Amino acid sequence: MMVYPQALEKLIKNLKKIPGIGPKSAERIAFFFLSSNQEYIQELSENLSDLKDHLKKCPQCFSLTSQEGLCSVCSSEERDRSLICVVESYRDLIVIENTGDYKGLYHILEGRLSPLDGMMPDKIKIMELIERVKKEKPKEIIMATNPNVEGDSTAFYISKLLKDFPVKITRLAKGLPVGSDLEFADMMSLMNSFKNREIM
Amino acid sequence: MMVYPQALEKLIKNLKKIPGIGPKSAERIAFFFLSSNQEYIQELSENLSDLKDHLKKCPQCFSLTSQEGLCSVCSSEERDRSLICVVESYRDLIVIENTGDYKGLYHILEGRLSPLDGMMPDKIKIMELIERVKKEKPKEIIMATNPNVEGDSTAFYISKLLKDFPVKITRLAKGLPVGSDLEFADMMSLMNSFKNREIM
């Protein structure tokens, strides 16, 4: 086998570590970089190394922010401080924020409980949430962890810890996705949408 | 729409330029980088900016090489200098080289004729090939451009330019892919394999 020159080989090795990028794609991307102009490569390389330097974590909700101190949501005067929406990741925050519907605050757990993967309660921001509840006394905690086994058990675990606090704990409704057909619904979603049926 | 912090947004914008990487994949990759350790990011960023500095082009065949001067193929004593295999790209050279079967030299065109995309004869290394033939007097030029319309016309164009030189010009055989089933063969390959049938 003829090997690629070392500089190319090293880059392909790095790219193969990206989830979803196999050996062929890694080669294809490396060759794209090779044929790109120098400005693009320089910019990409700088943006990569700047990534972590320019992103800070909000000390209250653990959202990513480019400013020092609290993030734009936590520091906004227009948000409802009596509501805290608990999500697994920053991406989930973005998804909810983009609905434009939610006006409360967030709390990012930075993961979900998953003992098999070593994700124990102390690995995610659960204690920080309890401290916030103690200090900020919100009226409601909305558990918006993912609607799967791990997300559910994380929400359940947290709700147990919070049961003695004077705070309402809610969970995102499970049911049929809007705009879908009944025939394509999975059984669990359909069962949930029966159980949680609403009065018209 | 909530936008990502600027550092993340800039990186996503860069990643979206990679062919085959859509907006969703670009976000996914950016978040992977965000959660990767600093050493990996530093290494990737350095390998990216080093890429073009550490890769040189062979002045004879335009292959990529990490050494100064001629590449390892052109400078090897063991290669048959009377054969030049003409390919479109460095990747094609690697593919042929990995068969382990070909022992001649190469010439990389760095593209193929495609007037609609502005790829005219002066944009690819055709004149350099003619000069090589004049100077090196090889016995045979093997046209290994891709077996499609553009590759075929590139091969045809070059063979016309070389017709007055005392050099044999050959083209890679077209036919059925080895290990495939007849029923899955495309019509053109099947027609070609009939036309070029071999005596058993």
Side-chain angles (χ1 to χ4, degrees):
Chain A
M1 287 285 277
M2 180 166 178
V3 288
Y4 292 123
Q6 206 192 7
L8 195 56
E9 195 64 56
K10 275 160 72 181
L11 182 64
I12 293 173
K13 204 177 136 224
N14 291 148
L15 293 171
K16 275 195 278 199
K17 292 195 181 147
I18 302 173
I21 304 289
K24 279 276 164 199
S25 302
E27 284 184 23
R28 196 175 44 77
I29 296 174
F31 274 97
F32 165 74
F33 290 149
L34 200 59
S35 63
S36 307
N37 62 47
Q38 195 60 47
E39 292 79 58
Y40 170 78
I41 296 297
Q42 211 48 46
E43 200 189 306
L44 174 59
S45 154
E46 281 165 19
N47 287 342
L48 260 171
S49 38
D50 284 0
L51 189 59
K52 296 194 184 189
D53 300 340
H54 287 71
L55 284 182
K56 291 157 191 49
K57 242 180 232 179
C58 173
Q60 180 165 276
C61 73
F62 305 105
S63 171
L64 293 175
T65 170
S66 30
Q67 63 201 51
E68 290 290 341
L70 294 181
C71 69
S72 55
V73 172
C74 285
S75 58
S76 163
E77 293 293 322
E78 289 158 23
R79 313 289 298 211
D80 182 348
R81 295 176 177 276
S82 68
L83 281 176
I84 296 178
C85 177
V86 177
V87 291
E88 293 179 23
S89 71
Y90 176 65
R91 294 193 80 170
D92 295 339
L93 178 152
I94 296 279
V95 171
I96 295 173
E97 203 56 8
N98 283 344
T99 64
D101 216 31
Y102 177 68
K103 296 296 174 206
L105 303 183
Y106 292 93
H107 186 90
I108 299 179
L109 292 174
E110 300 189 332
R112 70 274 167 277
L113 294 183
S114 175
L116 287 179
D117 303 326
M119 292 302 280
M120 306 303 285
D122 58 319
K123 290 278 174 74
I124 64 176
K125 306 289 185 198
I126 292 183
M127 285 323 295
E128 289 81 353
L129 176 62
I130 310 289
E131 289 304 313
R132 262 183 92 177
V133 174
K134 266 187 206 163
K135 212 177 74 183
E136 318 246 329
K137 302 187 174 49
K139 284 194 201 134
E140 184 177 346
I141 304 281
I142 303 167
M143 296 301 313
T145 50
N146 285 312
N148 53 35
V149 176
E150 290 175 343
D152 282 345
S153 28
T154 307
F156 184 71
Y157 181 86
I158 293 173
S159 70
K160 285 277 166 202
L161 289 182
L162 287 173
K163 75 176 179 339
D164 294 330
F165 290 86
V167 62
K168 187 165 131 194
I169 301 169
T170 56
R171 179 97 176 93
L172 291 192
K174 287 177 189 165
L176 297 172
V178 175
S180 67
D181 280 357
L182 265 189
E183 64 172 316
F184 299 124
D186 65 289
M187 208 173 30
M188 290 303 290
S189 304
L190 193 54
M191 280 160 63
N192 267 296
S193 74
F194 260 92
K195 203 169 63 187
N196 303 320
R197 62 194 180 275
E198 299 162 30
I199 292 166
M200 290 184 67
Chain B
M1 287 287 276
M2 181 165 179
V3 288
Y4 292 121
Q6 207 191 7
L8 195 56
E9 195 63 55
K10 276 159 72 181
L11 181 63
I12 292 173
K13 204 177 134 220
N14 290 149
L15 293 171
K16 275 196 278 197
K17 292 195 180 147
I18 302 173
I21 304 290
K24 279 278 164 200
S25 303
E27 284 184 24
R28 196 174 45 76
I29 296 173
F31 275 96
F32 165 73
F33 289 150
L34 200 59
S35 63
S36 307
N37 62 46
Q38 194 60 48
E39 293 77 60
Y40 170 77
I41 296 298
Q42 210 48 46
E43 199 189 307
L44 174 59
S45 155
E46 280 164 20
N47 286 342
L48 259 171
S49 40
D50 283 1
L51 188 61
K52 295 197 183 187
D53 300 342
H54 287 71
L55 284 182
K56 292 160 189 49
K57 241 179 232 179
C58 172
Q60 180 165 276
C61 73
F62 305 104
S63 171
L64 293 174
T65 170
S66 32
Q67 63 200 52
E68 291 289 341
L70 295 181
C71 69
S72 56
V73 172
C74 284
S75 60
S76 162
E77 294 293 322
E78 287 159 23
R79 311 290 299 211
D80 181 349
R81 296 175 176 276
S82 68
L83 281 175
I84 296 178
C85 176
V86 177
V87 290
E88 294 179 23
S89 71
Y90 176 64
R91 293 193 83 169
D92 296 339
L93 178 153
I94 297 278
V95 171
I96 295 173
E97 202 56 6
N98 283 345
T99 64
D101 216 31
Y102 176 69
K103 295 296 175 207
L105 304 183
Y106 292 94
H107 185 90
I108 299 180
L109 292 175
E110 299 189 333
R112 68 276 168 276
L113 294 183
S114 174
L116 289 178
D117 303 326
M119 291 302 280
M120 307 302 287
D122 58 319
K123 291 276 174 77
I124 63 176
K125 306 289 187 198
I126 293 182
M127 285 323 295
E128 289 80 353
L129 175 63
I130 309 288
E131 289 306 312
R132 263 183 92 176
V133 174
K134 265 185 202 161
K135 213 177 76 185
E136 317 246 327
K137 302 188 175 49
K139 283 191 199 139
E140 184 177 347
I141 304 282
I142 303 166
M143 296 302 314
T145 50
N146 285 313
N148 53 35
V149 176
E150 291 174 342
D152 282 346
S153 27
T154 306
F156 184 70
Y157 181 86
I158 293 173
S159 70
K160 284 280 165 196
L161 289 182
L162 287 172
K163 75 177 182 337
D164 295 330
F165 289 86
V167 62
K168 186 165 132 194
I169 300 168
T170 55
R171 178 98 177 92
L172 292 191
K174 287 177 190 164
L176 297 173
V178 176
S180 65
D181 278 358
L182 264 190
E183 61 172 318
F184 300 124
D186 65 289
M187 206 172 35
M188 291 304 291
S189 302
L190 194 54
M191 280 161 62
N192 267 296
S193 75
F194 260 91
K195 204 167 67 187
N196 303 319
R197 60 193 182 274
E198 299 161 29
I199 291 164
M200 289 184 69

Short mmCIF file of all heavy atoms in Angstrom, two decimals, chain A residues 84-130:
data_model
loop_
_atom_site.label_atom_id
_atom_site.label_comp_id
_atom_site.label_asym_id
_atom_site.label_seq_id
_atom_site.Cartn_x
_atom_site.Cartn_y
_atom_site.Cartn_z
N ILE A 84 -37.68 27.34 35.55
CA ILE A 84 -36.38 26.82 35.11
C ILE A 84 -36.61 25.56 34.28
O ILE A 84 -37.24 24.60 34.74
CB ILE A 84 -35.43 26.48 36.30
CG1 ILE A 84 -35.10 27.76 37.08
CG2 ILE A 84 -34.14 25.84 35.80
CD1 ILE A 84 -34.20 27.51 38.31
N CYS A 85 -36.15 25.59 33.06
CA CYS A 85 -36.28 24.44 32.16
C CYS A 85 -34.97 23.66 32.19
O CYS A 85 -33.91 24.20 31.86
CB CYS A 85 -36.59 24.96 30.76
SG CYS A 85 -36.68 23.65 29.55
N VAL A 86 -35.03 22.40 32.57
CA VAL A 86 -33.82 21.57 32.71
C VAL A 86 -33.59 20.76 31.43
O VAL A 86 -34.45 19.97 31.04
CB VAL A 86 -33.95 20.63 33.92
CG1 VAL A 86 -32.73 19.73 34.03
CG2 VAL A 86 -34.13 21.44 35.20
N VAL A 87 -32.47 21.00 30.76
CA VAL A 87 -32.17 20.27 29.54
C VAL A 87 -30.85 19.52 29.68
O VAL A 87 -30.06 19.82 30.58
CB VAL A 87 -32.09 21.21 28.30
CG1 VAL A 87 -33.47 21.76 27.94
CG2 VAL A 87 -31.10 22.33 28.52
N GLU A 88 -30.63 18.55 28.78
CA GLU A 88 -29.40 17.77 28.86
C GLU A 88 -28.21 18.54 28.29
O GLU A 88 -27.10 18.42 28.77
CB GLU A 88 -29.56 16.44 28.10
CG GLU A 88 -30.56 15.51 28.75
CD GLU A 88 -30.74 14.21 27.99
OE1 GLU A 88 -29.83 13.82 27.24
OE2 GLU A 88 -31.81 13.58 28.14
N SER A 89 -28.44 19.28 27.20
CA SER A 89 -27.30 19.90 26.53
C SER A 89 -27.65 21.30 26.00
O SER A 89 -28.82 21.67 25.89
CB SER A 89 -26.87 19.04 25.35
OG SER A 89 -27.85 19.15 24.33
N TYR A 90 -26.61 22.01 25.65
CA TYR A 90 -26.75 23.34 25.07
C TYR A 90 -27.55 23.29 23.77
O TYR A 90 -28.32 24.18 23.46
CB TYR A 90 -25.34 23.89 24.82
CG TYR A 90 -25.34 25.23 24.13
CD1 TYR A 90 -25.85 26.35 24.76
CD2 TYR A 90 -24.81 25.36 22.85
CE1 TYR A 90 -25.86 27.58 24.12
CE2 TYR A 90 -24.80 26.58 22.21
CZ TYR A 90 -25.34 27.70 22.85
OH TYR A 90 -25.34 28.91 22.21
N ARG A 91 -27.37 22.20 23.01
CA ARG A 91 -28.13 22.07 21.74
C ARG A 91 -29.62 22.02 22.02
O ARG A 91 -30.42 22.55 21.27
CB ARG A 91 -27.73 20.80 20.99
CG ARG A 91 -26.32 20.82 20.51
CD ARG A 91 -26.08 19.70 19.53
NE ARG A 91 -26.58 20.07 18.21
CZ ARG A 91 -26.32 19.36 17.11
NH1 ARG A 91 -25.60 18.27 17.20
NH2 ARG A 91 -26.78 19.75 15.95
N ASP A 92 -30.01 21.34 23.11
CA ASP A 92 -31.43 21.25 23.45
C ASP A 92 -31.97 22.63 23.80
O ASP A 92 -33.10 22.98 23.44
CB ASP A 92 -31.63 20.28 24.63
CG ASP A 92 -31.25 18.86 24.26
OD1 ASP A 92 -31.23 18.54 23.06
OD2 ASP A 92 -30.96 18.06 25.17
N LEU A 93 -31.15 23.43 24.50
CA LEU A 93 -31.54 24.80 24.83
C LEU A 93 -31.84 25.57 23.54
O LEU A 93 -32.86 26.24 23.42
CB LEU A 93 -30.41 25.48 25.61
CG LEU A 93 -30.58 26.95 26.03
CD1 LEU A 93 -29.77 27.22 27.29
CD2 LEU A 93 -30.13 27.91 24.94
N ILE A 94 -30.95 25.43 22.55
CA ILE A 94 -31.13 26.15 21.28
C ILE A 94 -32.44 25.72 20.61
O ILE A 94 -33.19 26.55 20.11
CB ILE A 94 -29.94 25.85 20.33
CG1 ILE A 94 -28.63 26.39 20.91
CG2 ILE A 94 -30.19 26.42 18.93
CD1 ILE A 94 -28.39 27.86 20.71
N VAL A 95 -32.71 24.41 20.63
CA VAL A 95 -33.94 23.90 20.01
C VAL A 95 -35.16 24.52 20.66
O VAL A 95 -36.08 25.00 19.97
CB VAL A 95 -33.99 22.35 20.13
CG1 VAL A 95 -35.35 21.82 19.70
CG2 VAL A 95 -32.88 21.71 19.30
N ILE A 96 -35.19 24.56 21.99
CA ILE A 96 -36.34 25.12 22.71
C ILE A 96 -36.42 26.63 22.47
O ILE A 96 -37.48 27.19 22.18
CB ILE A 96 -36.24 24.81 24.22
CG1 ILE A 96 -36.35 23.30 24.42
CG2 ILE A 96 -37.32 25.55 25.00
CD1 ILE A 96 -36.10 22.85 25.85
N GLU A 97 -35.26 27.28 22.54
CA GLU A 97 -35.22 28.74 22.36
C GLU A 97 -35.75 29.12 20.97
O GLU A 97 -36.43 30.13 20.83
CB GLU A 97 -33.76 29.19 22.56
CG GLU A 97 -33.56 30.63 22.93
CD GLU A 97 -34.32 31.06 24.19
OE1 GLU A 97 -34.92 30.21 24.90
OE2 GLU A 97 -34.33 32.25 24.44
N ASN A 98 -35.46 28.28 19.98
CA ASN A 98 -35.90 28.60 18.62
C ASN A 98 -37.40 28.44 18.38
O ASN A 98 -37.92 28.88 17.37
CB ASN A 98 -35.11 27.76 17.60
CG ASN A 98 -33.71 28.31 17.42
OD1 ASN A 98 -33.42 29.45 17.80
ND2 ASN A 98 -32.83 27.52 16.84
N THR A 99 -38.11 27.81 19.34
CA THR A 99 -39.57 27.80 19.20
C THR A 99 -40.11 29.20 19.49
O THR A 99 -41.20 29.56 19.06
CB THR A 99 -40.25 26.82 20.20
OG1 THR A 99 -39.99 27.29 21.53
CG2 THR A 99 -39.72 25.41 20.07
N GLY A 100 -39.35 30.01 20.24
CA GLY A 100 -39.75 31.39 20.54
C GLY A 100 -40.87 31.46 21.58
O GLY A 100 -41.40 32.52 21.87
N ASP A 101 -41.22 30.34 22.16
CA ASP A 101 -42.40 30.22 22.99
C ASP A 101 -42.09 30.28 24.47
O ASP A 101 -42.93 30.67 25.27
CB ASP A 101 -43.06 28.87 22.67
CG ASP A 101 -44.56 28.97 22.70
OD1 ASP A 101 -45.08 30.05 22.39
OD2 ASP A 101 -45.20 27.95 23.04
N TYR A 102 -40.90 29.85 24.83
CA TYR A 102 -40.55 29.70 26.23
C TYR A 102 -39.84 30.96 26.73
O TYR A 102 -38.89 31.43 26.09
CB TYR A 102 -39.66 28.47 26.41
CG TYR A 102 -39.17 28.28 27.82
CD1 TYR A 102 -40.06 27.93 28.84
CD2 TYR A 102 -37.84 28.45 28.15
CE1 TYR A 102 -39.61 27.77 30.14
CE2 TYR A 102 -37.38 28.28 29.44
CZ TYR A 102 -38.27 27.94 30.44
OH TYR A 102 -37.84 27.79 31.73
N LYS A 103 -40.28 31.51 27.84
CA LYS A 103 -39.72 32.77 28.32
C LYS A 103 -39.05 32.66 29.69
O LYS A 103 -38.74 33.67 30.32
CB LYS A 103 -40.81 33.86 28.37
CG LYS A 103 -41.40 34.23 27.01
CD LYS A 103 -40.33 34.85 26.11
CE LYS A 103 -40.85 35.08 24.70
NZ LYS A 103 -39.75 35.08 23.70
N GLY A 104 -38.86 31.43 30.18
CA GLY A 104 -38.23 31.26 31.48
C GLY A 104 -36.72 31.13 31.36
O GLY A 104 -36.12 31.50 30.35
N LEU A 105 -36.08 30.59 32.41
CA LEU A 105 -34.64 30.37 32.40
C LEU A 105 -34.35 28.90 32.08
O LEU A 105 -35.27 28.10 31.91
CB LEU A 105 -34.06 30.73 33.77
CG LEU A 105 -34.31 32.16 34.28
CD1 LEU A 105 -33.61 32.36 35.61
CD2 LEU A 105 -33.83 33.20 33.27
N TYR A 106 -33.07 28.56 32.01
CA TYR A 106 -32.66 27.18 31.72
C TYR A 106 -31.70 26.67 32.77
O TYR A 106 -31.12 27.45 33.53
CB TYR A 106 -31.94 27.11 30.36
CG TYR A 106 -32.84 27.38 29.18
CD1 TYR A 106 -32.95 28.66 28.66
CD2 TYR A 106 -33.56 26.36 28.59
CE1 TYR A 106 -33.77 28.92 27.57
CE2 TYR A 106 -34.38 26.60 27.50
CZ TYR A 106 -34.47 27.87 26.99
OH TYR A 106 -35.29 28.12 25.92
N HIS A 107 -31.53 25.37 32.76
CA HIS A 107 -30.43 24.77 33.51
C HIS A 107 -29.90 23.60 32.67
O HIS A 107 -30.64 22.67 32.37
CB HIS A 107 -30.90 24.26 34.88
CG HIS A 107 -29.77 23.77 35.73
ND1 HIS A 107 -29.07 24.59 36.60
CD2 HIS A 107 -29.19 22.54 35.83
CE1 HIS A 107 -28.12 23.89 37.19
NE2 HIS A 107 -28.17 22.64 36.74
N ILE A 108 -28.64 23.68 32.27
CA ILE A 108 -28.07 22.62 31.43
C ILE A 108 -27.36 21.59 32.29
O ILE A 108 -26.42 21.92 33.02
CB ILE A 108 -27.12 23.22 30.37
CG1 ILE A 108 -27.91 24.19 29.48
CG2 ILE A 108 -26.47 22.13 29.54
CD1 ILE A 108 -27.08 24.85 28.42
N LEU A 109 -27.80 20.36 32.22
CA LEU A 109 -27.21 19.29 33.04
C LEU A 109 -25.83 18.87 32.54
O LEU A 109 -25.04 18.32 33.27
CB LEU A 109 -28.14 18.08 33.05
CG LEU A 109 -29.48 18.24 33.77
CD1 LEU A 109 -30.33 16.99 33.57
CD2 LEU A 109 -29.24 18.48 35.27
N GLU A 110 -25.56 19.11 31.26
CA GLU A 110 -24.33 18.64 30.61
C GLU A 110 -24.26 17.11 30.62
O GLU A 110 -23.21 16.54 30.92
CB GLU A 110 -23.09 19.25 31.25
CG GLU A 110 -23.08 20.78 31.15
CD GLU A 110 -21.77 21.39 31.58
OE1 GLU A 110 -21.07 20.80 32.41
OE2 GLU A 110 -21.45 22.47 31.05
N GLY A 111 -25.36 16.48 30.27
CA GLY A 111 -25.37 15.03 30.19
C GLY A 111 -26.66 14.48 30.77
O GLY A 111 -27.58 15.24 31.12
N ARG A 112 -26.76 13.16 30.80
CA ARG A 112 -27.91 12.51 31.42
C ARG A 112 -27.36 11.32 32.20
O ARG A 112 -26.26 10.84 31.91
CB ARG A 112 -28.96 12.08 30.39
CG ARG A 112 -28.53 10.92 29.48
CD ARG A 112 -27.73 11.43 28.27
NE ARG A 112 -27.05 10.38 27.53
CZ ARG A 112 -25.87 9.86 27.87
NH1 ARG A 112 -25.25 10.23 28.96
NH2 ARG A 112 -25.32 8.95 27.12
N LEU A 113 -28.13 10.87 33.19
CA LEU A 113 -27.68 9.72 33.98
C LEU A 113 -27.62 8.49 33.09
O LEU A 113 -28.55 8.21 32.32
CB LEU A 113 -28.65 9.47 35.13
CG LEU A 113 -28.71 10.56 36.19
CD1 LEU A 113 -29.65 10.13 37.31
CD2 LEU A 113 -27.31 10.83 36.75
N SER A 114 -26.52 7.79 33.15
CA SER A 114 -26.35 6.58 32.37
C SER A 114 -25.24 5.77 33.02
O SER A 114 -24.08 5.85 32.62
CB SER A 114 -25.98 6.97 30.93
OG SER A 114 -25.70 5.82 30.18
N PRO A 115 -25.62 5.01 34.05
CA PRO A 115 -24.60 4.30 34.85
C PRO A 115 -23.67 3.44 34.00
O PRO A 115 -22.47 3.35 34.28
CB PRO A 115 -25.43 3.45 35.80
CG PRO A 115 -26.74 4.17 35.89
CD PRO A 115 -26.97 4.75 34.53
N LEU A 116 -24.21 2.84 32.93
CA LEU A 116 -23.36 1.97 32.09
C LEU A 116 -22.24 2.75 31.42
O LEU A 116 -21.17 2.21 31.14
CB LEU A 116 -24.22 1.27 31.03
CG LEU A 116 -25.12 0.16 31.55
CD1 LEU A 116 -25.94 -0.43 30.42
CD2 LEU A 116 -24.31 -0.93 32.25
N ASP A 117 -22.49 4.02 31.09
CA ASP A 117 -21.45 4.85 30.49
C ASP A 117 -20.68 5.63 31.54
O ASP A 117 -19.92 6.55 31.21
CB ASP A 117 -22.06 5.86 29.50
CG ASP A 117 -22.87 5.18 28.41
OD1 ASP A 117 -22.48 4.08 28.02
OD2 ASP A 117 -23.88 5.76 27.98
N GLY A 118 -20.90 5.32 32.80
CA GLY A 118 -20.19 6.03 33.86
C GLY A 118 -20.77 7.40 34.18
O GLY A 118 -20.14 8.20 34.86
N MET A 119 -21.97 7.69 33.64
CA MET A 119 -22.58 8.99 33.93
C MET A 119 -23.40 8.88 35.20
O MET A 119 -24.58 8.52 35.17
CB MET A 119 -23.45 9.46 32.76
CG MET A 119 -22.67 9.81 31.50
SD MET A 119 -21.43 11.11 31.77
CE MET A 119 -22.47 12.56 31.71
N MET A 120 -22.75 9.15 36.32
CA MET A 120 -23.40 9.08 37.61
C MET A 120 -23.86 10.49 38.01
O MET A 120 -23.43 11.47 37.40
CB MET A 120 -22.41 8.52 38.64
CG MET A 120 -21.77 7.20 38.25
SD MET A 120 -22.98 5.90 37.94
CE MET A 120 -23.45 5.53 39.64
N PRO A 121 -24.71 10.59 39.05
CA PRO A 121 -25.26 11.90 39.42
C PRO A 121 -24.20 12.99 39.64
O PRO A 121 -24.45 14.15 39.36
CB PRO A 121 -26.02 11.59 40.72
CG PRO A 121 -26.44 10.17 40.57
CD PRO A 121 -25.33 9.50 39.83
N ASP A 122 -23.02 12.60 40.12
CA ASP A 122 -22.01 13.64 40.39
C ASP A 122 -21.32 14.13 39.12
O ASP A 122 -20.57 15.10 39.15
CB ASP A 122 -20.97 13.12 41.39
CG ASP A 122 -20.28 11.86 40.86
OD1 ASP A 122 -20.99 11.00 40.28
OD2 ASP A 122 -19.05 11.74 41.01
N LYS A 123 -21.54 13.45 37.99
CA LYS A 123 -20.89 13.85 36.74
C LYS A 123 -21.68 14.94 36.01
O LYS A 123 -21.21 15.54 35.07
CB LYS A 123 -20.74 12.64 35.79
CG LYS A 123 -19.73 11.60 36.24
CD LYS A 123 -18.31 11.99 35.85
CE LYS A 123 -17.26 11.05 36.40
NZ LYS A 123 -17.20 9.77 35.69
N ILE A 124 -22.96 15.10 36.38
CA ILE A 124 -23.75 16.13 35.70
C ILE A 124 -24.21 17.17 36.72
O ILE A 124 -24.05 16.99 37.92
CB ILE A 124 -24.93 15.50 34.90
CG1 ILE A 124 -25.92 14.80 35.81
CG2 ILE A 124 -24.39 14.53 33.84
CD1 ILE A 124 -27.13 14.25 35.06
N LYS A 125 -24.73 18.28 36.22
CA LYS A 125 -24.97 19.45 37.07
C LYS A 125 -26.27 19.34 37.87
O LYS A 125 -27.14 20.21 37.77
CB LYS A 125 -24.98 20.72 36.21
CG LYS A 125 -23.75 20.92 35.34
CD LYS A 125 -22.52 21.28 36.15
CE LYS A 125 -21.35 21.59 35.23
NZ LYS A 125 -20.05 21.53 35.91
N ILE A 126 -26.40 18.26 38.65
CA ILE A 126 -27.61 18.08 39.45
C ILE A 126 -27.52 18.88 40.75
O ILE A 126 -28.44 19.60 41.11
CB ILE A 126 -27.87 16.58 39.74
CG1 ILE A 126 -28.22 15.85 38.43
CG2 ILE A 126 -28.99 16.42 40.77
CD1 ILE A 126 -28.55 14.39 38.58
N MET A 127 -26.39 18.78 41.44
CA MET A 127 -26.25 19.49 42.71
C MET A 127 -26.37 21.00 42.50
O MET A 127 -26.96 21.71 43.31
CB MET A 127 -24.91 19.16 43.39
CG MET A 127 -24.86 17.78 44.04
SD MET A 127 -26.42 17.28 44.83
CE MET A 127 -26.56 18.49 46.16
N GLU A 128 -25.85 21.45 41.33
CA GLU A 128 -25.94 22.87 41.00
C GLU A 128 -27.39 23.29 40.84
O GLU A 128 -27.76 24.41 41.20
CB GLU A 128 -25.15 23.16 39.72
CG GLU A 128 -23.62 23.08 39.87
CD GLU A 128 -23.07 21.65 39.82
OE1 GLU A 128 -23.88 20.67 39.80
OE2 GLU A 128 -21.83 21.50 39.81
N LEU A 129 -28.21 22.38 40.32
CA LEU A 129 -29.65 22.68 40.16
C LEU A 129 -30.32 22.78 41.53
O LEU A 129 -31.09 23.72 41.80
CB LEU A 129 -30.32 21.59 39.31
CG LEU A 129 -31.84 21.72 39.15
CD1 LEU A 129 -32.22 23.01 38.43
CD2 LEU A 129 -32.41 20.52 38.40
N ILE A 130 -29.99 21.82 42.41
CA ILE A 130 -30.57 21.84 43.77
C ILE A 130 -30.21 23.16 44.48
O ILE A 130 -31.07 23.81 45.09
CB ILE A 130 -30.05 20.63 44.60
CG1 ILE A 130 -30.20 19.31 43.84
CG2 ILE A 130 -30.73 20.58 45.98
CD1 ILE A 130 -31.59 18.80 43.67
#
